[in-house]
């Protein structure tokens, strides 16, 4: 007789921050009925993923078992939790998708880009409503975060209750969205919680998290004291912060203009779903051009230095007919995500060259995190009182430290990175299998595997340059004319002070003149020989071995 088991399997988001995707299953080993929590993206950078548009978790394991997948549950509308739903929906077998109203609005927009109608997403109500999904009953338990209607998931199974926190903070005055209700959480946990699968992002931050309400007075004072145009950027999804900024502008007698598609999209979704009911009136960019600078406030996208966002375009001189001048103020009401520092600093320096005064959050006055800090995580452990704590949403160091934190209060901590299947059945959690996981890149309109070599080849070309060698041979396998080269990303001259292209072509010509019949008649050997000559000659001339493509054409 086969014993059923309850499993947890992260495919993304455990060992990194981004591209969250967590599988829960119940049933006989290998035959479990499955649910997926979140399906997000990570963002590329030019150093490690040049040319890539987005990064997803590798869902091959789940795709192969899509007939066992009951449903997808989305905790909130941040891109790293919902951004991949349109791209991967068909690969998952077009499952049922559940989300609360605001998140559903965002998810539907992403699915519409791939031809799926509104019925692909079902709007779920908040706890105590629960939804049936195979052997599971799942409820959306409100929790505060930096985006409206964030929810933890209460996942009930025959093996007990699991609470998956999603991203969260313990904020009782979030301004927009639901406050953390400790009494409700204690009530939900009172029947016993088998496992708490918990956000780990700020486990190294030692002080308790601050409420969204504390930044309002500081921002209001800054806007009021500023002369010239005032421009602010924050995460477009942080609707509470966008409203705080807009309210501060109105209090200072300024007209409000939103710049950036994501900014407008989030505010429109908030109003449509009832999250916002009193957002100040806004004017169009066309009307903003006619407003005196000292009476205008722009709230713009691009808090992470994104090249195509409104902030970066303003930093380059002009966007939508609007430009910044000496005496204007630009506020970053946001934290720079690790890895984005170069882009943000470039924007700041560009504004500095324009004479714009830039204010960031170095002082801690104009931004608060949307994630629970270390004392808040300890508080969550105490409120829920689970048998097991499984850290998620963090790099390996975050997960390891969070595991230690759980064990300090004599709770069992399980460090489970992507691909680690944990059985939550029986007397103690057990790692029962390791699943191969990785990344999938969206490259233009095509999904490619991280091991396909495409990105690796781009990095090598970026580092070393590229040479294309063309050789023509006649019917007797004799060279017809001289070989020639096309160079990309390489200097024109090297150590010999002669043109690099001419040096390479001369060395290739000498190689062909020395090559025997056996070499000239074998494409593979000839290509390898020509490639070796180019790389060695380039090394001698410029100290680099470029990537080489050889084209051998034969007349027949």
């Amino acid at each position: 007789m086969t014993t059923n088991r309850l499993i947890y399997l992260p495919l993304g988001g455990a060992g990194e921050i981004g591209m969250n995707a967590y599988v829960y299953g119940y049933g006989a080993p290998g035959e479990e009925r499955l649910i997926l929590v979140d399906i997000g993206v990570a963002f590329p950078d030019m150093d490690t993923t040049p040319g890539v548009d987005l990064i997803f978790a590798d869902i091959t394991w789940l795709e192969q078992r899509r007939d066992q997948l009951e449903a997808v549950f989305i905790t909130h509308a941040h891109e790293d939790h919902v951004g991949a739903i349109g791209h991967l929906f068909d690969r998952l077998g077009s499952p049922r998708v559940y989300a609360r109203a605001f998140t559903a609005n965002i998810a539907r927009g992403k699915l519409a880009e791939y031809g799926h109608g509104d019925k692909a997403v079902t709007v779920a109500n908040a706890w105590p409503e629960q939804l049936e999904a195979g052997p599971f009953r799942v409820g959306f338990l409100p929790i505060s975060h930096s985006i409206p209607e964030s929810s933890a998931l209460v996942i009930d199974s025959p093996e007990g209750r699991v609470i998956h926190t999603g991203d969260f903070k313990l904020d009782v005055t979030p301004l927009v969205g639901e406050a953390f209700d400790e009494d409700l959480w204690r009530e939900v946990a009172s029947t016993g919680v088998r496992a708490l699968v918990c956000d780990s992002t700020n486990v190294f931050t030692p002080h308790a998290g601050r409420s969204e309400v504390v930044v309002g007075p500081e921002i209001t004072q800054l806007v009021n004291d500023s002369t010239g145009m005032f421009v602010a950027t924050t995460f477009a999804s942080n609707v509470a912060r966008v409203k705080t900024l807009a309210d501060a502008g109105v209090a200072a007698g300024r007209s409000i203009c939103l710049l950036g598609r994501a900014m407008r999209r989030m505010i429109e979704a908030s109003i449509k779903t009832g999250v916002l009911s009193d957002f100040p009136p806004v004017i169009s960019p066309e009307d903003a051009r006619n407003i005196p600078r000292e009476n205008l406030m722009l709230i713009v996208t691009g808090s992470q230095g994104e090249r195509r966002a409104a902030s970066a375009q303003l930093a380059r001189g002009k966007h939508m007919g609007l430009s910044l001048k000496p005496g204007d103020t630009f506020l970053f009401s946001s934290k720079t995500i690790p890895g984005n520092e170069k882009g943000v600093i470039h924007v700041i320096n560009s504004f500095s060259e324009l004479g714009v005064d830039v204010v960031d959050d170095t002082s801690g006055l104009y931004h608060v995190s949307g994630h629970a800090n270390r004392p808040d995580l300890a508080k969550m452990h105490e409120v829920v009182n689970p048998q097991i704590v499984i850290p998620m949403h963090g790099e390996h160091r975050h997960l390891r430290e969070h595991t230690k934190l759980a064990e300090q209060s004599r709770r069992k901590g399980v460090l489970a990175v992507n691909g680690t299947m944990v059985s939550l059945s029986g007397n103690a959690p057990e790692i029962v299998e390791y699943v191969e996981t990785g990344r999938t890149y969206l490259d233009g309109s095509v999904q490619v595997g991280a091991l396909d070599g495409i990105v690796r080849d781009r990095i090598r070309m970026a580092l070393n340059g590229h040479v294309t060698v063309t050789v023509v041979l006649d019917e007797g396998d004799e060279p017809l004319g001289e070989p020639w080269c096309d160079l990309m990303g390489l200097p024109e001259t090297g150590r010999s002070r002669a043109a690099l292209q001419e040096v390479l072509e001369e060395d290739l010509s000498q190689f062909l003149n020395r090559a025997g019949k056996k070499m000239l008649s074998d494409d593979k050997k000839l290509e390898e020989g020509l490639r070796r000559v180019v790389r060695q000659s380039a090394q001698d001339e410029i100290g680099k071995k470029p990537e080489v493509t050889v084209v051998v054409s034969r007349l027949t």
Side-chain angles (χ1 to χ4, degrees):
M1 182 176 177
T2 302
T3 303
N4 291 335
R5 65 183 183 182
L6 173 64
I7 61 169
Y8 162 77
L9 171 64
L11 297 178
E16 71 220 334
I17 295 177
M19 66 180 203
N20 294 276
Y22 307 93
V23 176
Y24 292 88
Y26 181 79
E31 300 175 5
E32 294 93 350
R33 304 306 300 176
L34 308 172
I35 60 173
L36 176 63
V37 175
D38 291 337
I39 185 71
V41 301
F43 295 98
D45 63 77
M46 284 302 295
D47 289 336
T48 61
T49 48
V52 169
D53 295 283
L54 291 172
I55 306 172
F56 316 134
D58 181 356
I59 62 163
T60 301
W61 184 90
L62 188 57
E63 185 179 13
Q64 293 170 348
R65 294 160 178 81
R66 63 185 187 177
D67 60 332
Q68 298 169 233
L69 180 63
E70 296 284 350
V72 178
F73 296 86
I74 309 296
T75 60
H76 64 284
H78 276 148
E79 286 295 301
D80 59 333
H81 292 260
V82 71
I85 186 66
H87 303 285
L88 302 180
F89 187 69
D90 290 334
R91 288 181 58 191
L92 291 173
S94 303
R96 292 178 292 163
V97 178
Y98 295 102
R100 294 185 65 193
F102 177 83
T103 305
N105 183 285
I106 302 300
R108 283 169 172 165
K110 296 181 180 301
L111 286 163
E113 296 177 14
Y114 289 82
H116 299 288
D118 287 352
K119 292 183 179 180
V121 182
T122 300
V123 175
N125 295 320
W127 184 268
E129 179 179 294
Q130 288 184 283
L131 300 159
E132 300 280 353
F136 297 101
R137 287 176 56 83
V138 182
F140 287 80
L141 182 61
I143 189 71
S144 48
H145 185 40
S146 56
I147 193 171
E149 289 190 346
S150 290
S151 298
L153 295 179
V154 180
I155 303 171
D156 287 331
S157 77
E159 290 282 348
R161 174 164 288 181
V162 174
I163 294 182
H164 182 106
T165 68
D167 295 1
F168 77 96
K169 64 185 295 185
L170 304 185
D171 192 344
V172 297
T173 52
L175 297 183
V176 175
E178 294 133 320
F180 173 64
D181 185 341
E182 182 177 332
D183 291 339
L184 174 61
W185 274 72
R186 288 189 183 277
E187 179 185 332
V188 171
S190 63
T191 56
V193 174
R194 179 66 172 157
L196 175 69
V197 182
C198 192
D199 181 4
S200 306
T201 310
N202 285 354
V203 68
F204 288 106
T205 304
H207 53 77
R210 297 185 299 150
S211 171
E212 181 65 32
V213 77
V214 304
V215 301
E218 300 292 346
I219 290 174
T220 299
Q221 187 66 49
L222 178 65
V223 177
N224 190 65
D225 292 346
S226 298
T227 59
M229 187 189 299
F230 193 97
V231 186
T233 186
T234 189
F235 299 99
S237 59
N238 193 340
V239 174
R241 186 70 49 76
V242 177
K243 184 178 185 304
T244 294
L245 290 165
D247 287 342
V250 170
R254 295 174 181 266
S255 297
I256 308 300
C257 178
L258 303 179
L259 288 184
R261 188 165 66 99
M263 190 70 68
R264 296 191 301 273
R265 175 78 178 92
M266 284 293 175
I267 297 303
E268 289 168 0
S270 298
I271 294 171
K272 183 177 181 180
T273 57
V275 169
L276 279 178
S277 59
D278 57 349
F279 194 82
V282 299
I283 61 173
S284 68
E286 292 77 17
D287 290 339
R289 298 170 199 162
N290 301 317
I291 300 291
R293 307 183 70 76
E294 64 275 12
N295 295 333
L296 180 62
M297 180 175 182
L298 308 180
I299 305 176
V300 305
T301 55
S303 66
Q304 301 305 302
E306 301 96 319
R307 180 169 177 77
R308 290 183 289 182
S311 294
Q313 298 202 50
L314 286 169
R316 289 195 289 271
K318 182 176 287 189
H319 180 54
M320 302 290 288
L322 297 164
S323 59
L324 274 67
K325 297 180 180 180
D328 292 341
T329 301
F330 191 98
L331 168 65
F332 282 89
S333 182
S334 56
K335 176 185 177 182
T336 302
I337 297 172
N340 294 339
E341 295 89 350
K342 287 183 180 179
V344 171
I345 290 171
H346 178 74
V347 169
I348 290 174
N349 281 323
S350 296
F351 279 134
S352 181
E353 292 171 6
L354 294 173
V356 175
D357 296 322
V358 178
V359 180
D360 61 21
D361 193 51
T362 303
S363 63
L365 297 177
Y366 309 114
H367 177 69
V368 292
S369 176
H371 294 271
N373 294 348
R374 189 182 187 91
D376 310 315
L377 294 174
K379 174 75 171 180
M380 178 61 81
H381 296 178
E382 185 270 322
V383 168
V384 175
N385 192 27
Q387 299 174 35
I388 305 162
V389 175
I390 305 179
M392 54 96 180
H393 200 282
E395 298 168 359
H396 192 281
R397 63 193 180 98
H398 297 99
L399 306 186
R400 186 165 179 262
E401 187 65 21
H402 196 169
T403 303
K404 292 180 181 178
L405 177 64
E407 292 173 345
Q408 287 174 9
S409 56
R410 298 184 179 179
R411 293 183 173 86
K412 177 63 178 176
V414 179
L415 201 168
V417 297
N418 294 339
T420 306
M421 184 185 293
V422 181
S423 171
L424 301 177
S425 299
N427 296 325
E430 179 185 3
I431 296 174
V432 293
E433 187 178 345
Y434 290 99
V435 171
E436 186 174 336
T437 57
R439 298 182 162 206
T440 298
Y441 299 135
L442 180 67
D443 192 50
S445 59
V446 179
Q447 294 180 26
V448 298
L451 300 180
D452 289 358
I454 294 169
V455 172
R456 181 192 63 227
D457 288 347
R458 281 187 191 153
I459 293 172
R460 289 166 61 178
M461 285 189 285
L463 292 173
N464 302 313
H466 185 265
V467 177
T468 300
V469 177
T470 304
V471 175
V472 180
L473 302 176
D474 64 18
E475 297 89 336
D477 296 330
E478 293 296 326
L480 190 64
E482 303 295 328
W484 69 91
C485 298
D486 292 306
L487 280 58
M488 293 184 66
L490 294 169
E492 293 184 1
T493 59
R495 290 194 179 100
S496 67
R497 300 188 182 279
L500 179 60
Q501 180 177 351
E502 294 178 3
V503 172
L504 296 179
E505 289 175 348
E506 176 61 28
D507 289 346
L508 287 167
S509 182
Q510 292 183 19
F511 171 80
L512 285 177
N513 290 335
R514 295 192 303 267
K517 193 72 174 177
K518 189 174 182 180
M519 168 75 75
L520 294 172
S521 63
D522 188 324
D523 281 1
K524 186 174 181 180
K525 288 182 179 179
L526 181 57
E527 289 174 10
E528 183 55 40
L530 294 168
R531 182 176 294 107
R532 187 167 55 249
V533 168
V534 169
R535 287 171 63 81
Q536 186 57 56
S537 296
Q539 176 69 34
D540 294 341
E541 282 289 308
I542 61 173
K544 278 183 175 291
K545 292 183 176 181
E547 299 302 300
V548 181
T549 299
V550 178
V551 179
V552 176
S553 297
R554 295 182 182 275
L555 300 181
T556 56

